[in-house]
PDB file of all heavy atoms in Angstrom:
ATOM      1  N   LEU A   1       0.828  -1.203   0.000  1.00  0.00           N
ATOM      2  CA  LEU A   1       0.000   0.000   0.000  1.00  0.00           C
ATOM      3  C   LEU A   1       0.862   1.252   0.000  1.00  0.00           C
ATOM      4  O   LEU A   1       0.623   2.192  -0.770  1.00  0.00           O
ATOM      5  CB  LEU A   1      -0.919  -0.009   1.220  1.00  0.00           C
ATOM      6  CG  LEU A   1      -1.864   1.186   1.368  1.00  0.00           C
ATOM      7  CD1 LEU A   1      -2.871   1.230   0.227  1.00  0.00           C
ATOM      8  CD2 LEU A   1      -2.578   1.132   2.716  1.00  0.00           C
ATOM      9  N   GLN A   2       1.869   1.259   0.859  1.00  0.00           N
ATOM     10  CA  GLN A   2       2.743   2.429   0.947  1.00  0.00           C
ATOM     11  C   GLN A   2       3.493   2.668  -0.349  1.00  0.00           C
ATOM     12  O   GLN A   2       3.606   3.804  -0.823  1.00  0.00           O
ATOM     13  CB  GLN A   2       3.725   2.246   2.111  1.00  0.00           C
ATOM     14  CG  GLN A   2       3.070   2.233   3.478  1.00  0.00           C
ATOM     15  CD  GLN A   2       3.940   1.635   4.561  1.00  0.00           C
ATOM     16  OE1 GLN A   2       5.149   1.469   4.382  1.00  0.00           O
ATOM     17  NE2 GLN A   2       3.347   1.274   5.690  1.00  0.00           N
ATOM     18  N   VAL A   3       4.013   1.614  -0.959  1.00  0.00           N
ATOM     19  CA  VAL A   3       4.797   1.750  -2.182  1.00  0.00           C
ATOM     20  C   VAL A   3       3.917   2.186  -3.350  1.00  0.00           C
ATOM     21  O   VAL A   3       4.270   3.099  -4.112  1.00  0.00           O
ATOM     22  CB  VAL A   3       5.532   0.439  -2.504  1.00  0.00           C
ATOM     23  CG1 VAL A   3       6.154   0.478  -3.893  1.00  0.00           C
ATOM     24  CG2 VAL A   3       6.622   0.176  -1.457  1.00  0.00           C
ATOM     25  N   ILE A   4       2.763   1.569  -3.505  1.00  0.00           N
ATOM     26  CA  ILE A   4       1.868   1.927  -4.608  1.00  0.00           C
ATOM     27  C   ILE A   4       1.459   3.390  -4.519  1.00  0.00           C
ATOM     28  O   ILE A   4       1.508   4.133  -5.518  1.00  0.00           O
ATOM     29  CB  ILE A   4       0.626   1.011  -4.609  1.00  0.00           C
ATOM     30  CG1 ILE A   4       1.018  -0.414  -5.003  1.00  0.00           C
ATOM     31  CG2 ILE A   4      -0.442   1.545  -5.564  1.00  0.00           C
ATOM     32  CD1 ILE A   4      -0.092  -1.434  -4.794  1.00  0.00           C
ATOM     33  N   GLU A   5       1.049   3.831  -3.340  1.00  0.00           N
ATOM     34  CA  GLU A   5       0.588   5.218  -3.194  1.00  0.00           C
ATOM     35  C   GLU A   5       1.736   6.206  -3.328  1.00  0.00           C
ATOM     36  O   GLU A   5       1.574   7.279  -3.928  1.00  0.00           O
ATOM     37  CB  GLU A   5      -0.136   5.373  -1.862  1.00  0.00           C
ATOM     38  CG  GLU A   5      -1.439   4.569  -1.820  1.00  0.00           C
ATOM     39  CD  GLU A   5      -2.261   4.794  -0.570  1.00  0.00           C
ATOM     40  OE1 GLU A   5      -1.709   5.361   0.415  1.00  0.00           O
ATOM     41  OE2 GLU A   5      -3.447   4.411  -0.568  1.00  0.00           O
ATOM     42  N   ALA A   6       2.911   5.845  -2.804  1.00  0.00           N
ATOM     43  CA  ALA A   6       4.051   6.757  -2.914  1.00  0.00           C
ATOM     44  C   ALA A   6       4.536   6.858  -4.353  1.00  0.00           C
ATOM     45  O   ALA A   6       4.926   7.945  -4.810  1.00  0.00           O
ATOM     46  CB  ALA A   6       5.186   6.299  -1.998  1.00  0.00           C
ATOM     47  N   LEU A   7       4.526   5.763  -5.087  1.00  0.00           N
ATOM     48  CA  LEU A   7       4.929   5.812  -6.494  1.00  0.00           C
ATOM     49  C   LEU A   7       3.988   6.697  -7.298  1.00  0.00           C
ATOM     50  O   LEU A   7       4.428   7.463  -8.169  1.00  0.00           O
ATOM     51  CB  LEU A   7       4.959   4.404  -7.088  1.00  0.00           C
ATOM     52  CG  LEU A   7       6.115   3.499  -6.659  1.00  0.00           C
ATOM     53  CD1 LEU A   7       5.926   2.095  -7.225  1.00  0.00           C
ATOM     54  CD2 LEU A   7       7.460   4.065  -7.097  1.00  0.00           C
ATOM     55  N   ALA A   8       2.702   6.608  -7.010  1.00  0.00           N
ATOM     56  CA  ALA A   8       1.741   7.482  -7.707  1.00  0.00           C
ATOM     57  C   ALA A   8       2.027   8.942  -7.405  1.00  0.00           C
ATOM     58  O   ALA A   8       1.998   9.803  -8.302  1.00  0.00           O
ATOM     59  CB  ALA A   8       0.322   7.100  -7.300  1.00  0.00           C
ATOM     60  N   ALA A   9       2.345   9.245  -6.135  1.00  0.00           N
ATOM     61  CA  ALA A   9       2.656  10.625  -5.754  1.00  0.00           C
ATOM     62  C   ALA A   9       3.941  11.117  -6.402  1.00  0.00           C
ATOM     63  O   ALA A   9       4.104  12.321  -6.647  1.00  0.00           O
ATOM     64  CB  ALA A   9       2.758  10.726  -4.228  1.00  0.00           C
ATOM     65  N   LEU A  10       4.860  10.185  -6.696  1.00  0.00           N
ATOM     66  CA  LEU A  10       6.126  10.540  -7.341  1.00  0.00           C
ATOM     67  C   LEU A  10       6.008  10.606  -8.862  1.00  0.00           C
ATOM     68  O   LEU A  10       6.994  10.847  -9.547  1.00  0.00           O
ATOM     69  CB  LEU A  10       7.201   9.513  -6.961  1.00  0.00           C
ATOM     70  CG  LEU A  10       7.668   9.519  -5.502  1.00  0.00           C
ATOM     71  CD1 LEU A  10       8.487   8.270  -5.193  1.00  0.00           C
ATOM     72  CD2 LEU A  10       8.471  10.778  -5.197  1.00  0.00           C
ATOM     73  N   GLY A  11       4.818  10.371  -9.376  1.00  0.00           N
ATOM     74  CA  GLY A  11       4.633  10.397 -10.823  1.00  0.00           C
ATOM     75  C   GLY A  11       5.186   9.181 -11.518  1.00  0.00           C
ATOM     76  O   GLY A  11       5.563   9.229 -12.690  1.00  0.00           O
ATOM     77  N   GLN A  12       5.231   8.035 -10.800  1.00  0.00           N
ATOM     78  CA  GLN A  12       5.767   6.788 -11.355  1.00  0.00           C
ATOM     79  C   GLN A  12       4.707   5.694 -11.187  1.00  0.00           C
ATOM     80  O   GLN A  12       4.893   4.731 -10.454  1.00  0.00           O
ATOM     81  CB  GLN A  12       7.059   6.396 -10.625  1.00  0.00           C
ATOM     82  CG  GLN A  12       7.781   5.190 -11.193  1.00  0.00           C
ATOM     83  CD  GLN A  12       8.667   5.526 -12.363  1.00  0.00           C
ATOM     84  OE1 GLN A  12       9.374   6.520 -12.330  1.00  0.00           O
ATOM     85  NE2 GLN A  12       8.613   4.711 -13.400  1.00  0.00           N
ATOM     86  N   PRO A  13       3.571   5.810 -11.834  1.00  0.00           N
ATOM     87  CA  PRO A  13       2.517   4.802 -11.676  1.00  0.00           C
ATOM     88  C   PRO A  13       2.947   3.455 -12.227  1.00  0.00           C
ATOM     89  O   PRO A  13       3.783   3.372 -13.127  1.00  0.00           O
ATOM     90  CB  PRO A  13       1.350   5.383 -12.475  1.00  0.00           C
ATOM     91  CG  PRO A  13       2.000   6.273 -13.486  1.00  0.00           C
ATOM     92  CD  PRO A  13       3.221   6.842 -12.813  1.00  0.00           C
ATOM     93  N   LEU A  14       2.355   2.413 -11.674  1.00  0.00           N
ATOM     94  CA  LEU A  14       2.716   1.044 -12.045  1.00  0.00           C
ATOM     95  C   LEU A  14       1.704   0.453 -13.013  1.00  0.00           C
ATOM     96  O   LEU A  14       0.512   0.732 -12.932  1.00  0.00           O
ATOM     97  CB  LEU A  14       2.753   0.163 -10.797  1.00  0.00           C
ATOM     98  CG  LEU A  14       3.887   0.388  -9.810  1.00  0.00           C
ATOM     99  CD1 LEU A  14       3.618  -0.408  -8.541  1.00  0.00           C
ATOM    100  CD2 LEU A  14       5.216  -0.024 -10.422  1.00  0.00           C
ATOM    101  N   ARG A  15       2.197  -0.411 -13.882  1.00  0.00           N
ATOM    102  CA  ARG A  15       1.298  -1.222 -14.693  1.00  0.00           C
ATOM    103  C   ARG A  15       0.728  -2.355 -13.848  1.00  0.00           C
ATOM    104  O   ARG A  15      -0.455  -2.688 -13.953  1.00  0.00           O
ATOM    105  CB  ARG A  15       2.041  -1.784 -15.906  1.00  0.00           C
ATOM    106  CG  ARG A  15       1.166  -2.687 -16.798  1.00  0.00           C
ATOM    107  CD  ARG A  15       1.955  -3.214 -17.975  1.00  0.00           C
ATOM    108  NE  ARG A  15       3.105  -4.017 -17.556  1.00  0.00           N
ATOM    109  CZ  ARG A  15       3.019  -5.319 -17.278  1.00  0.00           C
ATOM    110  NH1 ARG A  15       1.864  -5.953 -17.350  1.00  0.00           N
ATOM    111  NH2 ARG A  15       4.102  -5.983 -16.922  1.00  0.00           N
ATOM    112  N   ARG A  16       1.578  -2.939 -12.997  1.00  0.00           N
ATOM    113  CA  ARG A  16       1.112  -4.051 -12.174  1.00  0.00           C
ATOM    114  C   ARG A  16       2.000  -4.191 -10.938  1.00  0.00           C
ATOM    115  O   ARG A  16       3.195  -3.940 -10.994  1.00  0.00           O
ATOM    116  CB  ARG A  16       1.123  -5.359 -12.979  1.00  0.00           C
ATOM    117  CG  ARG A  16       0.439  -6.507 -12.260  1.00  0.00           C
ATOM    118  CD  ARG A  16       0.075  -7.640 -13.208  1.00  0.00           C
ATOM    119  NE  ARG A  16       1.247  -8.275 -13.785  1.00  0.00           N
ATOM    120  CZ  ARG A  16       1.182  -9.375 -14.544  1.00  0.00           C
ATOM    121  NH1 ARG A  16       0.021  -9.909 -14.852  1.00  0.00           N
ATOM    122  NH2 ARG A  16       2.289  -9.908 -15.018  1.00  0.00           N
ATOM    123  N   TYR A  17       1.356  -4.583  -9.832  1.00  0.00           N
ATOM    124  CA  TYR A  17       2.057  -4.898  -8.588  1.00  0.00           C
ATOM    125  C   TYR A  17       1.692  -6.342  -8.258  1.00  0.00           C
ATOM    126  O   TYR A  17       0.547  -6.651  -7.944  1.00  0.00           O
ATOM    127  CB  TYR A  17       1.610  -3.964  -7.463  1.00  0.00           C
ATOM    128  CG  TYR A  17       2.494  -3.985  -6.229  1.00  0.00           C
ATOM    129  CD1 TYR A  17       3.334  -2.903  -5.949  1.00  0.00           C
ATOM    130  CD2 TYR A  17       2.498  -5.048  -5.339  1.00  0.00           C
ATOM    131  CE1 TYR A  17       4.136  -2.890  -4.820  1.00  0.00           C
ATOM    132  CE2 TYR A  17       3.297  -5.053  -4.213  1.00  0.00           C
ATOM    133  CZ  TYR A  17       4.119  -3.967  -3.957  1.00  0.00           C
ATOM    134  OH  TYR A  17       4.926  -3.960  -2.830  1.00  0.00           O
ATOM    135  N   THR A  18       2.671  -7.233  -8.368  1.00  0.00           N
ATOM    136  CA  THR A  18       2.424  -8.661  -8.182  1.00  0.00           C
ATOM    137  C   THR A  18       2.941  -9.100  -6.821  1.00  0.00           C
ATOM    138  O   THR A  18       4.099  -8.830  -6.465  1.00  0.00           O
ATOM    139  CB  THR A  18       3.111  -9.479  -9.286  1.00  0.00           C
ATOM    140  OG1 THR A  18       2.565  -9.109 -10.555  1.00  0.00           O
ATOM    141  CG2 THR A  18       2.887 -10.966  -9.062  1.00  0.00           C
ATOM    142  N   ILE A  19       2.095  -9.776  -6.067  1.00  0.00           N
ATOM    143  CA  ILE A  19       2.465 -10.311  -4.761  1.00  0.00           C
ATOM    144  C   ILE A  19       2.600 -11.826  -4.872  1.00  0.00           C
ATOM    145  O   ILE A  19       1.702 -12.498  -5.380  1.00  0.00           O
ATOM    146  CB  ILE A  19       1.407  -9.950  -3.697  1.00  0.00           C
ATOM    147  CG1 ILE A  19       1.422  -8.435  -3.439  1.00  0.00           C
ATOM    148  CG2 ILE A  19       1.657 -10.720  -2.399  1.00  0.00           C
ATOM    149  CD1 ILE A  19       0.308  -7.965  -2.516  1.00  0.00           C
ATOM    150  N   VAL A  20       3.725 -12.340  -4.420  1.00  0.00           N
ATOM    151  CA  VAL A  20       3.939 -13.790  -4.353  1.00  0.00           C
ATOM    152  C   VAL A  20       3.848 -14.183  -2.886  1.00  0.00           C
ATOM    153  O   VAL A  20       4.725 -13.847  -2.086  1.00  0.00           O
ATOM    154  CB  VAL A  20       5.305 -14.187  -4.940  1.00  0.00           C
ATOM    155  CG1 VAL A  20       5.458 -15.710  -4.926  1.00  0.00           C
ATOM    156  CG2 VAL A  20       5.461 -13.650  -6.360  1.00  0.00           C
ATOM    157  N   ASP A  21       2.756 -14.844  -2.514  1.00  0.00           N
ATOM    158  CA  ASP A  21       2.527 -15.214  -1.118  1.00  0.00           C
ATOM    159  C   ASP A  21       1.713 -16.496  -1.096  1.00  0.00           C
ATOM    160  O   ASP A  21       0.637 -16.559  -1.702  1.00  0.00           O
ATOM    161  CB  ASP A  21       1.787 -14.103  -0.367  1.00  0.00           C
ATOM    162  CG  ASP A  21       2.035 -14.161   1.125  1.00  0.00           C
ATOM    163  OD1 ASP A  21       1.975 -15.271   1.692  1.00  0.00           O
ATOM    164  OD2 ASP A  21       2.289 -13.110   1.728  1.00  0.00           O
ATOM    165  N   LEU A  22       2.195 -17.519  -0.411  1.00  0.00           N
ATOM    166  CA  LEU A  22       1.538 -18.820  -0.391  1.00  0.00           C
ATOM    167  C   LEU A  22       0.437 -18.920   0.658  1.00  0.00           C
ATOM    168  O   LEU A  22      -0.332 -19.876   0.652  1.00  0.00           O
ATOM    169  CB  LEU A  22       2.574 -19.925  -0.143  1.00  0.00           C
ATOM    170  CG  LEU A  22       3.704 -20.023  -1.164  1.00  0.00           C
ATOM    171  CD1 LEU A  22       4.649 -21.167  -0.800  1.00  0.00           C
ATOM    172  CD2 LEU A  22       3.161 -20.206  -2.567  1.00  0.00           C
ATOM    173  N   SER A  23       0.346 -17.935   1.559  1.00  0.00           N
ATOM    174  CA  SER A  23      -0.620 -17.997   2.650  1.00  0.00           C
ATOM    175  C   SER A  23      -1.979 -17.470   2.203  1.00  0.00           C
ATOM    176  O   SER A  23      -2.128 -16.292   1.865  1.00  0.00           O
ATOM    177  CB  SER A  23      -0.120 -17.173   3.844  1.00  0.00           C
ATOM    178  OG  SER A  23      -1.142 -17.039   4.815  1.00  0.00           O
ATOM    179  N   GLY A  24      -2.972 -18.342   2.216  1.00  0.00           N
ATOM    180  CA  GLY A  24      -4.312 -17.908   1.840  1.00  0.00           C
ATOM    181  C   GLY A  24      -4.877 -16.875   2.786  1.00  0.00           C
ATOM    182  O   GLY A  24      -5.533 -15.915   2.356  1.00  0.00           O
ATOM    183  N   SER A  25      -4.647 -17.033   4.098  1.00  0.00           N
ATOM    184  CA  SER A  25      -5.175 -16.071   5.065  1.00  0.00           C
ATOM    185  C   SER A  25      -4.528 -14.707   4.896  1.00  0.00           C
ATOM    186  O   SER A  25      -5.205 -13.669   5.004  1.00  0.00           O
ATOM    187  CB  SER A  25      -4.966 -16.589   6.489  1.00  0.00           C
ATOM    188  OG  SER A  25      -3.584 -16.757   6.784  1.00  0.00           O
ATOM    189  N   LEU A  26      -3.220 -14.676   4.612  1.00  0.00           N
ATOM    190  CA  LEU A  26      -2.561 -13.396   4.401  1.00  0.00           C
ATOM    191  C   LEU A  26      -2.995 -12.762   3.087  1.00  0.00           C
ATOM    192  O   LEU A  26      -3.120 -11.537   2.985  1.00  0.00           O
ATOM    193  CB  LEU A  26      -1.044 -13.563   4.444  1.00  0.00           C
ATOM    194  CG  LEU A  26      -0.451 -13.822   5.831  1.00  0.00           C
ATOM    195  CD1 LEU A  26       1.051 -14.048   5.750  1.00  0.00           C
ATOM    196  CD2 LEU A  26      -0.771 -12.678   6.794  1.00  0.00           C
ATOM    197  N   ARG A  27      -3.253 -13.565   2.078  1.00  0.00           N
ATOM    198  CA  ARG A  27      -3.753 -13.024   0.816  1.00  0.00           C
ATOM    199  C   ARG A  27      -5.069 -12.276   1.038  1.00  0.00           C
ATOM    200  O   ARG A  27      -5.288 -11.209   0.471  1.00  0.00           O
ATOM    201  CB  ARG A  27      -3.968 -14.136  -0.204  1.00  0.00           C
ATOM    202  CG  ARG A  27      -2.715 -14.598  -0.931  1.00  0.00           C
ATOM    203  CD  ARG A  27      -3.111 -15.457  -2.110  1.00  0.00           C
ATOM    204  NE  ARG A  27      -1.953 -15.980  -2.824  1.00  0.00           N
ATOM    205  CZ  ARG A  27      -2.010 -16.477  -4.044  1.00  0.00           C
ATOM    206  NH1 ARG A  27      -3.162 -16.521  -4.681  1.00  0.00           N
ATOM    207  NH2 ARG A  27      -0.928 -16.945  -4.638  1.00  0.00           N
ATOM    208  N   GLU A  28      -5.968 -12.859   1.840  1.00  0.00           N
ATOM    209  CA  GLU A  28      -7.241 -12.199   2.093  1.00  0.00           C
ATOM    210  C   GLU A  28      -7.034 -10.880   2.827  1.00  0.00           C
ATOM    211  O   GLU A  28      -7.720  -9.889   2.544  1.00  0.00           O
ATOM    212  CB  GLU A  28      -8.158 -13.133   2.891  1.00  0.00           C
ATOM    213  CG  GLU A  28      -8.642 -14.331   2.101  1.00  0.00           C
ATOM    214  CD  GLU A  28      -9.240 -13.925   0.761  1.00  0.00           C
ATOM    215  OE1 GLU A  28     -10.147 -13.066   0.752  1.00  0.00           O
ATOM    216  OE2 GLU A  28      -8.793 -14.455  -0.278  1.00  0.00           O
ATOM    217  N   ARG A  29      -6.104 -10.864   3.761  1.00  0.00           N
ATOM    218  CA  ARG A  29      -5.819  -9.606   4.460  1.00  0.00           C
ATOM    219  C   ARG A  29      -5.223  -8.588   3.493  1.00  0.00           C
ATOM    220  O   ARG A  29      -5.546  -7.400   3.533  1.00  0.00           O
ATOM    221  CB  ARG A  29      -4.867  -9.859   5.624  1.00  0.00           C
ATOM    222  CG  ARG A  29      -4.606  -8.619   6.468  1.00  0.00           C
ATOM    223  CD  ARG A  29      -3.842  -8.948   7.734  1.00  0.00           C
ATOM    224  NE  ARG A  29      -3.574  -7.734   8.490  1.00  0.00           N
ATOM    225  CZ  ARG A  29      -2.865  -7.703   9.613  1.00  0.00           C
ATOM    226  NH1 ARG A  29      -2.387  -8.834  10.126  1.00  0.00           N
ATOM    227  NH2 ARG A  29      -2.640  -6.563  10.239  1.00  0.00           N
ATOM    228  N   GLN A  30      -4.366  -9.048   2.593  1.00  0.00           N
ATOM    229  CA  GLN A  30      -3.785  -8.147   1.597  1.00  0.00           C
ATOM    230  C   GLN A  30      -4.863  -7.571   0.677  1.00  0.00           C
ATOM    231  O   GLN A  30      -4.849  -6.388   0.354  1.00  0.00           O
ATOM    232  CB  GLN A  30      -2.730  -8.897   0.781  1.00  0.00           C
ATOM    233  CG  GLN A  30      -1.498  -9.295   1.571  1.00  0.00           C
ATOM    234  CD  GLN A  30      -0.756 -10.479   0.980  1.00  0.00           C
ATOM    235  OE1 GLN A  30      -1.008 -10.889  -0.158  1.00  0.00           O
ATOM    236  NE2 GLN A  30       0.162 -11.046   1.750  1.00  0.00           N
ATOM    237  N   ARG A  31      -5.794  -8.411   0.250  1.00  0.00           N
ATOM    238  CA  ARG A  31      -6.872  -7.928  -0.624  1.00  0.00           C
ATOM    239  C   ARG A  31      -7.675  -6.834   0.058  1.00  0.00           C
ATOM    240  O   ARG A  31      -8.059  -5.841  -0.578  1.00  0.00           O
ATOM    241  CB  ARG A  31      -7.792  -9.088  -1.011  1.00  0.00           C
ATOM    242  CG  ARG A  31      -7.173 -10.101  -1.946  1.00  0.00           C
ATOM    243  CD  ARG A  31      -8.192 -11.161  -2.350  1.00  0.00           C
ATOM    244  NE  ARG A  31      -7.546 -12.341  -2.883  1.00  0.00           N
ATOM    245  CZ  ARG A  31      -7.112 -12.470  -4.127  1.00  0.00           C
ATOM    246  NH1 ARG A  31      -7.251 -11.459  -4.970  1.00  0.00           N
ATOM    247  NH2 ARG A  31      -6.528 -13.589  -4.527  1.00  0.00           N
ATOM    248  N   ALA A  32      -7.945  -7.006   1.354  1.00  0.00           N
ATOM    249  CA  ALA A  32      -8.701  -5.988   2.085  1.00  0.00           C
ATOM    250  C   ALA A  32      -7.895  -4.700   2.217  1.00  0.00           C
ATOM    251  O   ALA A  32      -8.420  -3.598   2.001  1.00  0.00           O
ATOM    252  CB  ALA A  32      -9.087  -6.524   3.467  1.00  0.00           C
ATOM    253  N   THR A  33      -6.629  -4.817   2.564  1.00  0.00           N
ATOM    254  CA  THR A  33      -5.777  -3.638   2.731  1.00  0.00           C
ATOM    255  C   THR A  33      -5.635  -2.872   1.430  1.00  0.00           C
ATOM    256  O   THR A  33      -5.584  -1.636   1.421  1.00  0.00           O
ATOM    257  CB  THR A  33      -4.385  -4.060   3.230  1.00  0.00           C
ATOM    258  OG1 THR A  33      -4.518  -4.726   4.486  1.00  0.00           O
ATOM    259  CG2 THR A  33      -3.458  -2.862   3.398  1.00  0.00           C
ATOM    260  N   LEU A  34      -5.566  -3.593   0.314  1.00  0.00           N
ATOM    261  CA  LEU A  34      -5.234  -2.998  -0.980  1.00  0.00           C
ATOM    262  C   LEU A  34      -6.441  -2.865  -1.909  1.00  0.00           C
ATOM    263  O   LEU A  34      -6.280  -2.676  -3.114  1.00  0.00           O
ATOM    264  CB  LEU A  34      -4.161  -3.854  -1.657  1.00  0.00           C
ATOM    265  CG  LEU A  34      -2.829  -3.918  -0.905  1.00  0.00           C
ATOM    266  CD1 LEU A  34      -2.014  -5.123  -1.334  1.00  0.00           C
ATOM    267  CD2 LEU A  34      -2.048  -2.633  -1.118  1.00  0.00           C
ATOM    268  N   ALA A  35      -7.640  -2.931  -1.344  1.00  0.00           N
ATOM    269  CA  ALA A  35      -8.851  -2.933  -2.163  1.00  0.00           C
ATOM    270  C   ALA A  35      -8.930  -1.736  -3.105  1.00  0.00           C
ATOM    271  O   ALA A  35      -9.407  -1.852  -4.243  1.00  0.00           O
ATOM    272  CB  ALA A  35     -10.090  -2.972  -1.260  1.00  0.00           C
ATOM    273  N   ALA A  36      -8.441  -0.592  -2.672  1.00  0.00           N
ATOM    274  CA  ALA A  36      -8.527   0.616  -3.506  1.00  0.00           C
ATOM    275  C   ALA A  36      -7.607   0.544  -4.720  1.00  0.00           C
ATOM    276  O   ALA A  36      -7.740   1.366  -5.636  1.00  0.00           O
ATOM    277  CB  ALA A  36      -8.188   1.843  -2.667  1.00  0.00           C
TER     278      ALA A  36
END
């Protein structure tokens, strides 16, 4: 969240931010945190 928003503020928007995480429970928490 911090990196995506800071990159946008720096004028460096991303095409894609890929997360590699094997934990299903953490993935769900990530989806909620990064919903925007």
Side-chain angles (χ1 to χ4, degrees):
L1 180 64
Q2 294 162 15
V3 170
I4 291 170
E5 294 186 345
L7 287 174
L10 291 167
Q12 185 83 43
L14 289 170
R15 178 180 61 85
R16 189 162 65 173
Y17 194 107
T18 298
I19 292 174
V20 183
D21 204 315
L22 301 180
S23 170
S25 61
L26 288 177
R27 279 193 182 197
E28 291 309 306
R29 185 171 178 183
Q30 293 156 13
R31 290 184 198 278
T33 300
L34 297 160

